[in-house]
Amino acid sequence: SMNMSAPIDYNSTKFVTYKNPILGIQILHPISWKPIKNVTSNGHIVEFMPAVENEHQQLMPFVTLSIENISSKNSDLKSLTNQNLQIAKGLPGFHMINSSSLVLSGVPAHKIIYTFSSLVPMPSEFQSMNIWTIKGNTAYTISYSEAKSEYLKHLPAIEKIVRSFVIVK
């Protein structure tokens, strides 16, 4: 449609490295995107969010990297993929665009791209990309979610972030 945003030229954007030796990961992100680290019930999350132009704007994480300890029943990629697909399919208005294998930080991984709808804060459609892999007993997931009309705008940055991801331990 006509209201699609043009991609941003991320080639001229400076990317910097986020390193976390405790989590054993490193990843590039645009210099203006701030990493925010949170602890979850079974691991850690690092959200990379563009600096907000207007602080009343709803904060929506752009890229979320989650590092979670996994139980033995989901300790292989196939089980984790099946589990994640079940969760995604439970989203309202879920529609799969693509589901494929890839390599992330030298390890076999899986990627899904899909749309879903949200009624909060107002009815709208979102597009997401989730990529996950397992190394040892840890699952690593990179997620990107954005309004469907804006999804392509940031994709060049997201692809660079994904390619840069390294599990260092």
Side-chain angles (χ1 to χ4, degrees):
S1 67
M2 295 299 290
N3 66 354
M4 291 284 214
S5 300
I8 294 172
D9 178 15
Y10 281 105
N11 290 327
S12 55
T13 301
K14 185 175 196 278
F15 279 70
V16 293
T17 304
Y18 172 83
K19 265 194 181 126
N20 191 312
I22 294 156
L23 297 178
I25 53 101
Q26 70 176 48
I27 195 165
L28 289 175
H29 64 90
I31 193 163
S32 62
W33 296 19
K34 299 286 168 259
I36 300 164
K37 191 163 93 59
N38 288 303
V39 177
T40 66
S41 55
N42 54 346
H44 293 82
I45 286 183
V46 186
E47 294 170 341
F48 296 93
M49 288 199 268
V52 182
E53 292 129 33
N54 163 7
E55 56 191 44
H56 301 295
Q57 202 173 317
Q58 193 192 358
L59 276 184
M60 210 183 136
F62 262 55
V63 175
T64 303
L65 168 61
S66 80
I67 296 113
E68 295 183 319
N69 295 318
I70 45 173
S71 65
S72 53
K73 69 179 194 299
N74 293 319
S75 63
D76 63 83
L77 186 60
K78 195 176 175 197
S79 310
L80 182 64
T81 295
N82 289 339
Q83 179 198 310
N84 286 347
L85 288 174
Q86 286 311 113
I87 294 167
K89 285 171 182 168
L91 291 166
F94 174 83
H95 170 71
M96 181 75 80
I97 295 171
N98 181 272
S99 176
S100 58
S101 301
L102 75 159
V103 172
L104 187 66
S105 184
V107 184
H110 196 89
K111 167 166 88 168
I112 58 172
I113 299 170
Y114 57 95
T115 55
F116 67 98
S117 44
S118 170
L119 299 173
V120 187
M122 61 189 99
S124 46
E125 198 167 12
F126 290 92
Q127 188 160 334
S128 295
M129 170 166 60
N130 299 357
I131 300 172
W132 56 81
T133 190
I134 290 184
K135 195 170 180 186
N137 59 348
T138 307
Y140 302 87
T141 307
I142 301 174
S143 308
Y144 165 54
S145 211
E146 180 52 298
K148 193 178 170 186
S149 59
E150 298 286 302
Y151 178 88
L152 289 173
K153 187 173 174 177
H154 305 285
L155 199 56
I158 308 306
E159 288 173 339
K160 187 166 179 173
I161 290 168
V162 169
R163 281 195 305 273
S164 77
F165 178 66
V166 180
I167 302 165
V168 291
K169 68 171 180 191

